[in-house]
Amino acid sequence: MNDELYMKRALELADRGAGRVCPNPMVGAVLVRQGRIIGEGWHAQCGGPHAERSALAARTECAAGATLYVTLEPCCHYGRTPPCTEAILEHKIARVVVGCLDPNEKVAGQGVQLLREHGISVDVGILERECRQKNEVFMHYISTKLPFVVLKYAMTLDGKLAAHTGDSRWVTGPEARAHVHETRSRLTAIMVGIGTVLADDPLLNCRMEATPYRQPRDPVRIVCDSHLRLPLESQLVRTAHAIPLIAAHTDGTPEKAAALEAAGVSVWRCPSQAGRVDLRSLMQQLGAAQIDSVLLEGGGALHWAALSSGIVQKVQAYIAPKLIGGAHAKSPVGGSGFAKMADAIPLYDSRLTPLGDNLLWEGYLQKSAQVQDTGGMFSCSPD
């Protein structure tokens, strides 16, 4: 039996829940009996049936003696839905193949242990790296209670966000811009600085075509606006009743705060850090509000503040084959910068994806955890 083949299919199914299940994980499940797939399922929305139960409900024949492939360890506790381990036992599944363990303290190996105690054969770690990466947002959020932050920007080959005049439409081509909207749909929130709002009057919504399994979903919009300069006539404020908008400030006037709130904006007062919104404190507030991920689409000043405060986990750089020059043209990261190249922030696990004539470069600010065999139970330890 090709375990990797069926786990790859489970990963494809898991992706159908992207943007719909947060703060829960994306999970896919495939039920196989005598070399035939007899059921498939995925976690479609937060509060709905888990992937294992969906696969069992969709089965075309008796599941007794079958093998269940699931990208994440089956839950063993009562939450919004009953435990998946309970359903597995009821249907007399003979073997369960798990992509990776669930770091949630309510599960954390207990689901696998329970199944083994009831005589079910369990294998853990099939395509574990891919399964963990599929749920990198969940893995981070459930462990830290903080959002997974992706710093995103588009630049020319000589590292410019815009021309020296400020013109930036468009740096990249249609394929790259479509990918950005796909990312907006997958992550829970998008954040910019007030400078971006004043310069571009963006809408920060998701503009993408619907598919049978994916419907466009607008992210929660967040503006770092220390002094509450957010214009009431801006596109963001005018659409605040339709698409959630958070204005994070440090010393805005009560009158402006009241006006924004009347327009449907959620106004959050935050501690100050060097005269600006303390981003670490803001991440704590967002995490407490179950916002598990943030796409940071700010300018150079906000990007530097985010990097220097340590809130960023991943960088996405869309690179266009253009040279625009300009000594004063803006670059992706501003601020004071580092004095020595040796002090630069290193990025790891990078990969390149062609998008039309453009390239998407992605990397992480920390090295990936290394998988270590612990007798059938897998754990992770940092480099």
Side-chain angles (χ1 to χ4, degrees):
M1 186 174 290
N2 192 331
D3 289 344
E4 289 194 1
L5 177 66
Y6 294 124
M7 189 60 74
K8 285 180 179 178
R9 176 55 181 165
L11 281 165
E12 292 174 356
L13 294 168
D15 202 58
R16 294 180 179 180
R20 300 290 174 180
V21 300
C22 52
N24 286 353
M26 294 181 286
V27 185
V30 176
L31 192 61
V32 178
R33 189 169 186 265
Q34 297 178 348
R36 294 173 290 106
I37 294 178
I38 64 169
E40 294 184 336
W42 62 95
H43 186 32
Q45 61 183 17
C46 185
H50 288 187
E52 299 93 324
R53 288 185 175 272
S54 293
L56 288 166
R59 72 190 186 282
T60 55
E61 59 186 76
C62 177
T67 296
L68 178 67
Y69 292 84
V70 61
T71 56
L72 188 70
E73 178 183 11
C75 64
C76 54
H77 64 285
Y78 281 88
R80 295 180 180 177
T81 59
C84 290
T85 51
E86 186 178 277
I88 292 170
L89 295 174
E90 288 175 356
H91 286 275
K92 296 180 172 57
I93 301 298
R95 179 175 178 241
V96 177
V97 180
V98 177
C100 62
L101 296 182
D102 188 340
N104 187 339
E105 60 183 13
K106 295 179 180 179
V107 188
Q110 297 176 72
V112 166
Q113 181 179 348
L114 187 151
L115 293 174
R116 285 177 173 160
E117 288 174 351
H118 284 79
I120 295 178
S121 173
V122 183
D123 293 301
V124 181
I126 303 301
L127 297 185
E128 178 167 20
R129 182 181 180 87
E130 292 86 344
C131 290
R132 289 184 61 85
Q133 188 172 53
K134 178 68 66 177
N135 275 311
E136 60 187 10
V137 168
F138 171 76
M139 296 290 182
H140 175 80
Y141 179 72
I142 200 68
S143 301
T144 66
K145 309 303 180 187
L146 298 172
F148 184 90
V149 178
V150 179
L151 189 158
K152 167 265 170 184
Y153 53 85
M155 69 178 188
T156 58
L157 197 57
D158 52 345
K160 306 298 184 182
L161 293 177
H164 67 88
T165 60
D167 179 66
S168 62
R169 297 198 177 185
W170 296 100
V171 175
T172 54
E175 295 89 349
R177 297 199 299 273
H179 190 275
V180 170
H181 286 280
E182 167 73 16
T183 303
R184 287 184 181 183
S185 180
R186 299 175 73 92
L187 300 182
T188 303
I190 183 171
M191 185 166 78
V192 298
I194 185 60
T196 296
V197 177
L198 296 177
D200 301 334
D201 190 24
L203 188 54
L204 301 180
N205 65 342
C206 174
R207 300 182 292 278
M208 57 179 282
E209 293 184 6
T211 69
Y213 299 109
R214 296 292 303 279
Q215 299 295 320
R217 183 197 61 83
D218 292 319
V220 175
R221 286 102 40 99
I222 306 165
V223 179
C224 289
D225 183 11
S226 299
H227 311 301
L228 281 188
R229 293 186 290 156
L230 185 59
L232 295 175
E233 66 276 12
S234 65
Q235 290 196 91
L236 290 175
V237 175
R238 286 190 285 108
T239 57
H241 284 295
I243 308 173
L245 174 63
I246 297 170
H249 73 109
T250 59
D251 60 0
T253 65
E255 293 78 14
K256 184 59 177 291
L260 289 171
E261 288 174 341
V265 181
S266 295
V267 180
W268 293 10
R269 181 178 287 275
C270 300
S272 174
Q273 175 67 33
R276 300 176 181 270
V277 171
D278 185 327
L279 294 179
R280 290 186 182 182
S281 176
L282 177 57
M283 292 304 112
Q284 292 173 351
Q285 292 184 59
L286 292 172
Q290 292 196 326
I291 292 178
D292 63 353
S293 52
V294 174
L295 181 63
L296 181 56
E297 288 196 20
L302 183 57
H303 289 173
W304 172 253
L307 289 167
S308 58
S309 66
I311 68 167
V312 178
Q313 281 71 54
K314 183 178 183 179
V315 174
Q316 288 185 329
Y318 295 84
I319 305 169
K322 300 176 182 178
L323 302 172
I324 197 165
H328 301 292
K330 294 180 179 179
S331 61
V333 182
S336 58
F338 295 107
K340 297 181 179 179
M341 190 61 67
D343 297 330
I345 299 172
L347 296 166
Y348 304 95
D349 299 329
S350 62
R351 65 181 181 185
L352 282 173
T353 303
L355 295 169
D357 292 333
N358 306 134
L359 288 174
L360 168 60
W361 181 95
E362 298 175 279
Y364 298 84
L365 271 71
Q366 293 183 351
K367 290 185 179 180
S368 295
Q370 299 298 309
V371 178
Q372 297 183 345
D373 191 347
T374 55
M377 299 289 285
F378 282 69
S379 63
C380 293
S381 58
D383 284 351

